[in-house]
Amino acid sequence: MKQTITGAEALMRSLEHEGVTTLFGYPGGAIMPVYDALYDHKESLNHILVRHEQGAVHAAQGYARVSGRVGVAMVTSGPGATNTVTGVADAMIDSTPLVVICGQVGAALLGTDAFQEVDVVNMTQPISKWNYQIRRAEDVAWAVSRAFYIARSGRPGPVVLDFTRNAQVGEVDYEPADIDFIRSYVPVPHVKMDAVRKAAQLINDAVKPLLLVGQGVELAGAQDELLQLMERAQIPAGCTLLGLSALPSDHPLNKGMLGMHGNLGPNVMTNQCDVLIAVGMRFDDRVTGNLKTYARQAKVIHFDIDPSELSKLVHADCKVLGDCKETLAALLPLIDEAKHQSWVDGFAPYAEREYNKVIEKAIHPTDGPLLMGEVVRAVSEASKHEAVLVTDVGQNQMFGARYFQFSKPRSIVTSGGCGTMGFGLPAAIGATFGAPDRTVCLFVGDGGLQMTIQELGTIMEQGSPVKIILLNNNYLGNVRQWQAMFWNRRYSFTPMMNPDYELIAKAYGIPARTVVDRADLAAAIAEMLSTDGPYLLQCAVKEEDNVLPMTPPGANVDEMLLEV
């Protein structure tokens, strides 16, 4: 039955109709009618007040990544909207489903440079999956339903709704909308069996097959199908940064992380395999290194839901378009059981060499200051490899990815393609709402923490049980490493003068402890994990530690440095 209500109230009911229970936001003048309507929906819509609009979008990203649901952020116009742009761009490149709702001046004032007016539609069009300006209350239900459908379907991504004030206060005979079809938009392409059969033939004929596992496997929920393929045909695999938790870390065919700071074996063997099977990944430059020499000897099979990714960077001899849960399910009956034991065994010498040269020193040092790698591995082990890993960007991210281990899917939340410093703290807050039954461990550097440190206020207010592990080396560590390796140790503006983080944490009511000595690390981690609610564990780590191995920029993927 139709009911006459305001556009703001229509938004609330439309969000409830989409199953939204949690949203992150910050009020302001141009969105005030919506926040007034929200006042009457506090029981059904749990609004998390962040301390900066960028934090709202990153928190929504963290929520979406661990829950598989659409994250929602709501902000005002002008600077409120512009402060979301980084998060929208980050979500676009990392395929994170979001709906970002921005207030806007009234339609009559559009284009007049009114107070806090910016052109949100044109600003976000290149970095969003879809955007739309709601100018009439009558369009609210339709726009919200369409936004959620586009954000969650196919290759997920962010959608921006620019909500004019007159549409918020105008009245409408409200009826909920249910959109599951848009002409010309095909979110999940029909599986073409000819391509699947060609892929099966190449895999069955392979002597040295290698799987590249991307986040698309997790987005599709295709972990079981992937494992069946690996185990039936005995195919070793390497994972991208965002795909790390798609496979259990301890699976014998999981050979580690791909890319610039990945594991030696899968990187070297990429240029030795005869069939390269990429599933739900986009051949980012940090994975491929020099494209001119990347896997030139191999037949490439690419499974992806996005046709624009197929042969975009690496030529695919076989393109399998579709949702990889569907395409892998179609592939499995055509795959022969196989043994590639000598090929799989060929990874062992590289793993042993990397362990002896890099890993053992990183996680089991015998003297000197604390190392980032040992802290990461110690936290992973203490949490029984069941926690959600959230990282900021930089050395903390790479050490986290290399030495944290995973036993459950949807267990890594990090900024991949955009590399957004400041992402970690708000994303971890969002993850605690998206997976309230799991331990959320944030690894962050002293540089990244200060970019969104105000979100400690959100933790204080919400009691979000984020376990913050601050790897403090008094540097912008990743930039310093590049300066050390490629710029003659000219540390141009990378040393950091830091505040007393323990005092800051305590000012927000967050228990905190600093560890300097290795002998105190295990007890401090145990205290952190056993503490109800949030905790900040500051680890004073080696100032000039380097993430190794490393493929230098522009080098071939198999030209990894194990020492500097």
Side-chain angles (χ1 to χ4, degrees):
M1 180 178 178
K2 292 182 180 180
Q3 184 180 3
T4 302
I5 57 176
T6 66
E9 176 66 19
L11 174 62
M12 296 298 101
R13 297 190 187 187
S14 296
L15 292 176
E16 291 170 344
H17 185 68
E18 292 295 333
V20 174
T21 57
T22 304
L23 63 159
F24 305 86
Y26 203 94
I31 198 72
M32 203 171 294
V34 169
Y35 270 86
D36 184 70
L38 180 60
Y39 193 85
D40 295 323
H41 292 261
K42 289 187 290 187
E43 295 300 318
S44 57
L45 294 172
N46 183 25
H47 177 274
I48 310 304
L49 177 65
V50 296
R51 298 309 190 256
H52 190 283
E53 291 91 352
Q54 181 181 354
V57 186
H58 292 329
Q61 288 178 271
Y63 174 90
R65 294 270 283 273
V66 297
S67 70
R69 305 178 68 186
V70 178
V72 181
M74 192 161 70
V75 302
T76 193
S77 65
T82 60
N83 283 341
T84 69
V85 168
T86 295
V88 173
D90 193 290
M92 184 66 177
I93 199 166
D94 283 352
S95 305
T96 304
L98 297 184
V99 171
V100 179
I101 302 159
C102 303
Q104 182 57 282
V105 301
L109 292 174
L110 290 171
T112 68
D113 294 329
F115 178 65
Q116 291 192 335
E117 180 201 358
V118 295
D119 189 348
V120 173
V121 171
N122 281 314
M123 182 167 35
T124 60
Q125 190 275 331
I127 57 170
S128 61
K129 193 175 176 186
W130 181 63
N131 66 12
Y132 183 76
Q133 188 173 73
I134 304 173
R135 297 190 182 189
R136 305 186 310 156
E138 295 96 316
D139 296 333
V140 171
W142 170 86
V144 171
S145 182
R146 185 181 174 104
F148 276 82
Y149 173 60
I150 291 173
R152 70 163 67 97
S153 61
R155 180 179 181 175
V159 170
V160 177
L161 294 177
D162 191 36
F163 198 3
T164 62
R165 196 176 191 283
N166 62 287
Q168 296 174 44
V169 299
E171 293 192 337
V172 59
D173 291 335
Y174 174 76
E175 279 188 313
D178 291 292
I179 292 177
D180 58 7
F181 172 78
I182 300 172
R183 190 175 64 180
S184 79
Y185 172 56
V186 183
V188 182
H190 177 70
V191 177
K192 295 182 178 179
M193 285 306 299
D194 285 349
V196 174
R197 283 189 284 269
K198 182 178 180 181
Q201 190 63 54
L202 287 170
I203 293 169
N204 288 336
D205 291 344
V207 176
K208 299 184 289 185
L210 178 63
L211 267 163
L212 308 184
V213 179
Q215 186 193 198
V217 172
E218 295 217 295
L219 294 175
Q223 295 92 341
D224 289 345
E225 289 80 4
L226 180 76
L227 278 172
Q228 289 180 57
L229 172 62
M230 290 171 59
E231 292 170 354
R232 181 174 300 177
Q234 201 184 25
I235 306 174
C239 298
T240 67
L241 173 65
L242 296 185
L244 282 172
S245 63
L247 290 174
S249 298
D250 62 358
H251 193 286
L253 290 171
N254 184 352
K255 300 304 177 183
M257 186 168 73
L258 301 163
M260 178 176 281
H261 288 296
N263 294 105
L264 182 63
N267 278 341
V268 170
M269 297 302 234
T270 294
N271 279 1
Q272 295 183 18
C273 67
D274 60 355
V275 175
L276 192 68
I277 309 151
V279 185
M281 56 87 70
R282 58 186 181 84
F283 290 108
D284 178 79
D285 60 284
R286 288 294 173 100
V287 166
T288 65
N290 182 6
L291 280 169
K292 293 180 180 179
T293 61
Y294 181 79
R296 287 298 186 184
Q297 78 295 336
K299 294 288 185 182
V300 176
I301 306 168
H302 196 171
F303 291 80
D304 209 282
I305 199 168
D306 185 350
S308 71
E309 293 294 348
L310 301 178
S311 291
K312 183 176 80 172
L313 293 167
V314 173
H315 172 73
D317 299 278
C318 179
K319 304 171 186 177
V320 187
L321 184 62
D323 183 293
C324 64
K325 188 173 181 69
E326 295 181 14
T327 54
L328 290 179
L331 176 76
L332 283 170
L334 307 177
I335 297 297
D336 299 333
E337 289 193 13
K339 299 291 183 184
H340 299 107
Q341 199 59 53
S342 61
W343 166 242
V344 173
D345 290 345
F347 284 78
Y350 296 107
E352 182 178 3
R353 183 179 172 203
E354 181 182 355
Y355 185 84
N356 292 335
K357 286 271 190 180
V358 178
I359 297 175
E360 185 175 28
K361 299 173 185 176
I363 64 175
H364 297 304
T366 56
D367 55 16
L370 282 170
L371 300 181
M372 294 190 199
E374 71 172 310
V375 175
V376 171
R377 180 57 61 87
V379 173
S380 182
E381 290 176 350
S383 59
K384 300 179 181 178
H385 310 307
E386 295 180 347
V388 174
L389 168 70
V390 184
T391 81
D392 204 77
V393 167
Q395 287 186 317
N396 62 87
Q397 180 184 38
M398 292 296 99
F399 276 113
R402 283 185 54 82
Y403 297 118
F404 209 80
Q405 295 185 308
F406 306 97
S407 62
K408 295 181 178 181
R410 291 192 175 273
S411 291
I412 181 168
V413 180
T414 192
S415 174
C418 214
T420 303
M421 286 183 68
F423 171 90
L425 185 59
I429 294 169
T432 65
F433 288 95
D437 58 333
R438 300 188 64 187
T439 300
V440 175
C441 293
L442 165 66
F443 289 89
V444 61
D446 41 311
L449 179 60
Q450 291 187 76
M451 286 196 169
T452 49
I453 197 169
Q454 72 278 350
E455 298 308 329
L456 292 176
T458 307
I459 291 177
M460 174 182 66
E461 182 172 352
Q462 300 294 331
S464 304
V466 181
K467 310 304 182 186
I468 305 167
I469 302 96
L470 169 58
L471 302 173
N472 190 348
N473 60 4
N474 297 304
Y475 274 102
L476 297 175
N478 212 43
V479 184
R480 183 214 55 78
Q481 177 170 336
W482 282 51
Q483 289 173 334
M485 296 176 69
F486 310 119
W487 297 91
N488 299 316
R489 301 177 70 86
R490 290 163 58 89
Y491 293 163
S492 180
F493 298 98
T494 47
M496 294 283 288
M497 178 177 287
N498 283 310
D500 188 325
Y501 290 107
E502 267 199 81
L503 284 178
I504 291 173
K506 289 175 180 177
Y508 283 102
I510 299 171
R513 179 173 175 177
T514 297
V515 174
V516 176
D517 296 325
R518 182 166 291 113
D520 299 328
L521 180 62
I525 292 172
E527 179 181 302
M528 174 183 71
L529 294 177
S530 64
T531 298
D532 290 334
Y535 193 100
L536 186 144
L537 175 60
Q538 176 177 220
C539 297
V541 296
K542 182 179 178 180
E543 290 194 346
E544 296 191 53
D545 198 5
N546 292 322
V547 187
L548 294 168
M550 180 179 184
T551 301
N556 300 335
V557 68
D558 54 359
E559 295 178 337
M560 299 199 82
L561 302 176
L562 295 180
E563 52 191 359
V564 292

